[in-house]
Amino acid sequence: MTRILLFLATNMAVMVVFSIITSVFGLDRAIGQSTTSLVIYAACFGFIGSFISLAMSKSAAIRSMNVQLIEQPTNATERWLVDTVHAQARKAGIGEPDVGIFQQASPNAFATGWNKNDALVAVSTGLLQSMSREEVEAVLGHEVAHVYNGDMVTMGLIQGVLNTFVIVFSRILGSMIDNALRGNRGGGGSYGMGFFLGNIIGNVVFGFLASMIAAWFSRQREFRADAGGAELAGRQNMIGALEALKRGSPADSALPEKLQAFGITGGHLAKYLSTHPPLDVRIARLRAEG
């Protein structure tokens, strides 16, 4: 879950900052009133914002979660983690991800990275302490499946499309507010404070709605990752891992917003902002597919 929440938060921050910069420096005026120019402009900057977020995802996750990368294993547990993740990656036909551990009392894990051959898989200390090796192996398989399925890039592309609509609708809202404040007299191609404020408000409001859509897509990808984990580590082990997560303490379970879509557990978000389906639903899906 940490992976997606970080991604969505970083993306929204990039979009708001982008809106402020383009308005302050008059870049909005450069495209004029052409609908075609607006769409091209929105698509270019919408995807730029998304891919900046994607490119930053791995380093941002390491910093935000204080992940300790296992470069040279110092004990048997670290060696087993690295060997297991790399074996699953080879089985899936992808590059060997970096492996790390972060301090968190509750069981959790996530994967992130800008492509499937340069990824990171990290697990919490709580997960290692509360699960059997078979269950941990299933969690690792779930995260490797996220990488193999290209979920980071997929979510980046989806967010790019959503960003494009956010920019277009925000500009339309800004223009409507600006015209209303001018008494529908127009401004000869210039924009006033109404446009600036409307554009900012639009980015926040439409960005929030876009996050809900992105979260829905994330929930669908989660089922695929569960199936991938079952294939890599065994269906019963995957079911056992999800059942163990239900028993885990929720007190310290949240991952940063940008990472949540690519974690193993969900957060305490509202139903439509949750990046993960309920654990009971995921368990039932796995059993039905067995």
Side-chain angles (χ1 to χ4, degrees), residues 182-194:
R182 294 170 182 264
N184 293 318
R185 293 189 300 272
S190 63
Y191 297 111
M193 183 57 68

Side-chain angles (χ1 to χ4, degrees), residues 17-199:
V17 171
F18 158 77
S19 176
I20 293 173
I21 292 174
T22 54
S23 295
V24 169
F25 289 94
L27 297 180
D28 290 305
R29 293 189 291 272
I31 66 171
Q33 305 298 321
S34 168
T35 300
T36 301
S37 297
L38 171 59
V39 172
I40 294 174
Y41 162 91
C44 288
F45 284 99
F47 278 92
I48 286 174
S50 177
F51 284 116
I52 287 176
S53 303
L54 182 61
M56 294 170 55
S57 62
K58 185 174 176 180
S59 59
I62 292 173
R63 290 194 303 271
S64 64
M65 297 302 297
N66 194 26
V67 175
Q68 301 300 309
L69 296 178
I70 305 174
E71 298 177 348
Q72 293 293 332
T74 60
N75 55 54
T77 298
E78 291 184 355
R79 169 53 62 190
W80 177 82
L81 277 175
V82 172
D83 289 345
T84 300
V85 171
H86 288 180
Q88 291 177 341
R90 289 192 295 270
K91 184 177 180 179
I94 60 175
E96 296 179 347
D98 291 333
V99 182
I101 299 174
F102 58 96
Q103 295 290 326
Q104 191 175 93
S106 62
N108 218 326
F110 67 88
T112 192
W114 73 279
N115 73 64
K116 63 179 63 179
N117 294 315
D118 185 23
L120 165 69
V121 173
V123 299
S124 70
T125 52
L127 184 138
L128 296 175
Q129 294 165 0
S130 63
M131 289 190 179
S132 68
R133 283 208 167 181
E134 291 76 15
E135 292 166 346
V136 174
E137 182 180 0
V139 171
L140 296 175
H142 172 99
E143 300 306 333
V144 169
H146 269 308
V147 178
Y148 169 75
N149 291 334
D151 287 341
M152 290 82 77
V153 174
T154 298
M155 291 303 299
L157 292 172
I158 290 171
Q159 194 65 61
V161 173
L162 293 173
N163 286 349
T164 299
F165 283 102
V166 169
I167 292 173
V168 170
F169 290 141
S170 295
R171 278 185 54 87
I172 292 174
L173 177 63
S175 295
M176 291 173 61
I177 293 176
D178 199 50
N179 286 336
L181 293 177
R182 294 170 182 264
N184 293 318
R185 293 189 300 272
S190 63
Y191 297 111
M193 183 57 68
F195 178 85
F196 175 78
L197 293 177
N199 202 16

Side-chain angles (χ1 to χ4, degrees), residues 131 135 138-139 142 222-223 226-227 235-248 264-265 276-287:
M131 289 190 179
E135 292 166 346
V139 171
H142 172 99
E222 202 62 26
F223 289 123
D226 284 343
R235 187 169 303 277
Q236 288 307 311
N237 288 340
M238 190 70 245
I239 292 173
L242 294 176
E243 290 177 334
L245 289 173
K246 288 179 59 179
R247 300 190 297 268
I264 183 66
T265 63
H276 286 58
L279 286 168
D280 286 335
V281 174
R282 294 164 64 183
I283 292 169
R285 174 75 69 91
L286 282 171
R287 285 176 172 158

